[in-house]
Amino acid sequence: MLQGTASSNAPDPVGRGVHARRRILSAALELLADAGMRGFTMEAVARQAGASKATLYRHWPSASALLVDAMDAQFRPAPQPSTGDLRADLVAILDGFVRALTDTPFPRLMAAFIDAAERYPELADLHTELTRRRRAPALRLLADAQARGEITLDIDPDVIVDLLAAPFFYRRFVAHRPIPADLPAVVVDRVLATMRTRDKTPDDIPKDLPRPQERAPSARTATRRQRGRHDRQERGRQ
Amino acid sequence: MLQGTASSNAPDPVGRGVHARRRILSAALELLADAGMRGFTMEAVARQAGASKATLYRHWPSASALLVDAMDAQFRPAPQPSTGDLRADLVAILDGFVRALTDTPFPRLMAAFIDAAERYPELADLHTELTRRRRAPALRLLADAQARGEITLDIDPDVIVDLLAAPFFYRRFVAHRPIPADLPAVVVDRVLATMRTRDKTPDDIPKDLPRPQERAPSARTATRRQRGRHDRQERGRQ
DNA sequence: TATCGATACTGTACCGTATCGATATGCTCC
DNA sequence: GGAGCATATCGATACGGTACAGTATCGATA
């Protein structure tokens, strides 16, 4: 699948080798998260893993091959919520994003991926694939809801998923501002509001859902500014 | 303001030094865009700039101080479209984003920023500030439209700007998928649809705008207009 | 006169390869 | 079923080569 990797296709070797391999893959990700591509050296990985440099080169022909394997091994498929309540399920998915972006080392790893993908084509391909897998649950929810007649998908569903997922990554990696706890609900409501079918709206949808034209007044207080330490004052120059 | 920079606040020195300083700042950004933080070394910058390493250390105490200055010097304020047509102005801004993300070296620089900001706090602060400036025109458009009674801002306007801007960065840096030419219009229409006031809708708003509940048959055909207003936007170097 | 480019220098870090002894695993043979 | 051996894998270490950090010096130049 991804060329350049020495052993991702082969069955895991038996015996003592497995342990060294796993230690090395974990160490590679730790280093990448801690120090980015600058800290990702074969020497440092070997040190961190308590392994010999020779062992690294026995398993992977190059640092980038090791990195691809490490990225691939790290991925955990996202859960697929399916309570039948589209809004709740989407919010659950986005809540998972928020947790991953705030309470785990994932964002530091992600930032390194973003940078690495820009410069190593094989990493860009893998990054694309991993992102595709992360998006699959939301895409499926939308397709199911459309099949039930709950929503009208008159545009590319991938764009809808973009609208849903993008704000969280943007806040974390570009705007560097805190993510309000209710942002998943706010985003889902905004996006769903443009897709509800007039004729059929299931009863299990919360009634205070802010439909356009007849919005619940609570959305305002729910999203009160909420700025933290990232709020900065004006700078002197332009 | 940004500690660690040797001279960003001081007036530019006169004489031959100015030229060397500018060459070095440009070279720093070129290297950062080309090879990320790995390629950003004082030696490489000096080579690229045709300068002496000693000259670099005369101006900046460290590599990160140089990087902060280079990032700061690169920024060009985004234009502020204001035709009075909220939709057209927002689309113009997002078109500028798309051009910067597809036709310039800006994204490679941006990816390096994203990674660097994760590991160097002073770069994160600067990145936050630069992003804030990039968002200012859209925020002002929304405030003006609200003042005109054209839209109802019942949530944090920053969240609206997030919804508008995020999909483009997400597509480019996370999903690694091409950005359709009509995505700005699609995004603007989706987001505006949830904010239009019922009572007052200015006449200069296109009538085929996909309102929720009475949607135009295709958001695609409905959003084909107003292109090529301003051709200048912020990007990296020249 | 201030700034610059060029050069040299020491110290450190990493690359990629080679070698060697240690050890866990699996198989054979009794 | 257990002792013993063969094999694969491992960690440690060393090596020459390259690159970069940061400082110092000196002559050139605007």
Side-chain angles (χ1 to χ4, degrees), chain A:
Chain A
M1 95 193 206
L2 285 149
Q3 62 284 53
T5 79
S7 50
S8 66
N9 289 339
D12 277 357
V14 290
R16 213 169 64 174
V18 178
H19 306 116
R21 220 183 111 83
R22 296 218 173 118
R23 285 200 329 265
I24 291 168
L25 288 174
S26 293
L29 289 182
E30 284 175 31
L31 276 170
L32 191 64
D34 284 348
M37 285 299 286
R38 290 204 80 150
F40 185 80
T41 67
M42 294 297 253
E43 292 242 358
V45 172
R47 259 198 310 271
Q48 178 94 5
S52 163
K53 267 203 301 177
T55 303
L56 269 69
Y57 284 102
R58 283 179 195 123
H59 284 280
W60 298 275
S62 68
S64 69
L66 165 59
L67 186 52
V68 168
D69 264 12
M71 284 172 59
D72 192 53
Q74 168 266 354
F75 183 83
R76 294 288 172 275
Q80 170 80 65
S82 58
T83 65
D85 181 348
L86 175 62
R87 178 182 183 277
D89 287 345
L90 287 177
V91 170
I93 287 178
L94 297 188
D95 275 336
F97 282 6
V98 173
R99 274 195 303 276
L101 287 173
T102 52
D103 298 334
T104 73
F106 169 76
R108 316 194 71 196
L109 202 54
M110 183 83 176
F113 283 11
I114 288 174
D115 181 68
E118 209 64 31
R119 289 160 236 292
Y120 304 88
E122 70 271 24
L123 292 186
D125 290 344
L126 178 56
H127 194 197
T128 304
E129 168 62 18
L130 297 184
T131 299
R132 193 193 62 74
R133 286 189 233 164
R134 234 187 335 255
R135 294 161 57 93
L139 273 174
R140 177 166 171 195
L141 285 181
L142 291 175
D144 289 350
Q146 186 185 29
R148 291 196 305 268
E150 189 173 340
I151 59 172
T152 301
L153 277 181
D154 57 349
I155 64 172
D156 184 354
D158 273 309
V159 171
I160 299 299
V161 177
D162 286 347
L163 294 177
L164 290 170
F168 302 92
F169 291 91
Y170 177 85
R171 282 230 163 193
R172 180 61 179 77
F173 295 111
V174 181
H176 294 283
R177 302 176 62 224
I179 300 177
D182 64 343
L183 189 58
V186 170
V187 169
V188 168
D189 286 339
R190 290 275 150 178
V191 173
L192 283 190
T194 66
M195 295 193 309
R196 295 287 183 194
T197 55
R198 175 177 47 229
D199 42 344
K200 176 173 182 181
T201 301
D203 293 337
D204 56 348
I205 299 224
K207 299 192 169 34
D208 58 347
L209 201 166
R211 306 282 173 68
Q213 322 273 352
E214 48 141 343
R215 197 179 345 269
S218 60
R220 168 173 183 76
T221 55
T223 62
R224 205 64 189 96
R225 297 288 288 194
Q226 159 123 2
R227 283 192 165 191
R229 54 189 165 80
H230 279 111
D231 200 359
R232 297 170 51 89
Q233 62 281 21
E234 295 285 328
R235 300 195 69 204
R237 46 199 303 279
Q238 65 247 25

Side-chain angles (χ1 to χ4, degrees), chain B residues 31-110:
Chain B
L31 277 170
L32 191 63
D34 284 348
M37 286 298 287
R38 290 205 79 150
F40 186 79
T41 67
M42 294 297 252
E43 291 243 357
V45 172
R47 259 198 311 271
Q48 179 94 3
S52 164
K53 265 204 301 178
T55 303
L56 268 69
Y57 283 103
R58 284 179 194 121
H59 284 279
W60 298 274
S62 67
S64 70
L66 166 58
L67 185 53
V68 168
D69 264 12
M71 283 172 59
D72 192 55
Q74 166 269 348
F75 182 83
R76 295 288 172 278
Q80 170 78 64
S82 59
T83 64
D85 180 348
L86 174 63
R87 176 182 181 278
D89 287 345
L90 287 176
V91 170
I93 288 179
L94 297 188
D95 276 337
F97 282 5
V98 172
R99 275 196 301 276
L101 288 173
T102 52
D103 297 334
T104 75
F106 171 75
R108 314 194 72 195
L109 202 54
M110 182 84 176

